[in-house]
Amino acid sequence: MVKKICFSTVAALLMLSGCAQNTPDVGGNVSDANEIAPDTVSIDESNMVEDGSGVRYNSSSDGFVSVYFDFDGYNIAPSMENRVSHNAARAKSTGGSKVKLEGNCDEFGTDEYNYALGLKRARAVKEALADKGVDTSNVVMVSFGESSPACTDATDECYAQNRRVDLRLVK
């Protein structure tokens, strides 16, 4: 009987530890949120663009287009390369104005996890812009986690719209 209780306890602990969610390692200070805190954030859904796949949505402004990510991912997909190139050209044309990258997530995961994931997504876009020749000394990042959804419907298409990085000029 004691063996059964011990075995059941160990089995339950192993199963529960497998359900733990790891927080992405964002490493270093990647948040400039205090620097840009006075800026208000608004989402202009009227500035939607066709991305070539028939999907029309965009939460960015000032001539930028949003970069979207896979579920639980922060790598820029090959299908988003044209968006990164577009944003790099736009950033270069701003005359040194500050560009804000806003990392966003869908509603799945804890607040801490989504905050870290949003920063990872913003950092991925910042690095991609740097690879395209953008001076990133004027690029700031912030993560909104799941707090700034572009869509609130309970559909896969809606969740996909919330896994993004929006780009804006800091005014």
Side-chain angles (χ1 to χ4, degrees):
M1 179 70 172
V2 174
K3 284 184 176 180
K4 282 186 177 181
I5 292 173
C6 288
F7 178 75
S8 297
T9 302
V10 170
L13 289 173
L14 288 173
M15 289 177 63
L16 290 175
S17 67
C19 296
Q21 197 171 31
N22 295 329
T23 301
D25 176 25
V26 295
N29 182 15
V30 295
S31 175
D32 297 325
N34 291 335
E35 184 179 338
I36 58 174
D39 298 324
T40 58
V41 174
S42 62
I43 297 175
D44 181 10
E45 289 300 319
S46 64
N47 190 20
M48 299 169 73
V49 296
E50 169 70 42
D51 70 353
S53 66
V55 178
R56 292 179 46 85
Y57 44 81
N58 179 35
S59 296
S60 294
S61 60
D62 305 311
F64 293 103
V65 293
S66 299
V67 177
Y68 295 90
F69 293 83
D70 291 333
F71 176 77
D72 198 33
Y74 54 88
N75 294 323
I76 296 177
S79 62
M80 292 289 118
E81 286 295 327
N82 59 341
R83 288 173 172 254
V84 171
S85 296
H86 170 86
N87 290 330
R90 177 69 184 112
K92 289 177 187 175
S93 71
T94 62
S97 296
K98 192 171 283 190
V99 176
K100 181 170 59 172
L101 307 177
E102 301 170 351
N104 294 279
C105 300
D106 59 29
E107 65 189 46
F108 302 103
T110 65
D111 289 344
E112 294 82 11
Y113 179 82
N114 285 334
Y115 175 75
L117 185 58
L119 284 177
K120 289 284 249 182
R121 288 175 174 166
R123 176 181 271 180
V125 171
K126 183 178 181 179
E127 291 172 355
L129 291 175
D131 289 344
K132 301 282 184 190
V134 174
D135 176 12
T136 57
S137 64
N138 291 326
V139 175
V140 294
M141 298 181 296
V142 64
S143 176
F144 292 117
E146 63 189 69
S147 66
S148 185
C151 183
T152 56
D153 295 336
T155 63
D156 289 342
E157 294 80 18
C158 184
Y159 297 138
Q161 291 181 43
N162 295 331
R163 298 187 287 263
R164 70 191 190 281
V165 170
D166 297 327
L167 296 90
R168 304 177 196 288
L169 287 179
V170 176
K171 298 176 181 165

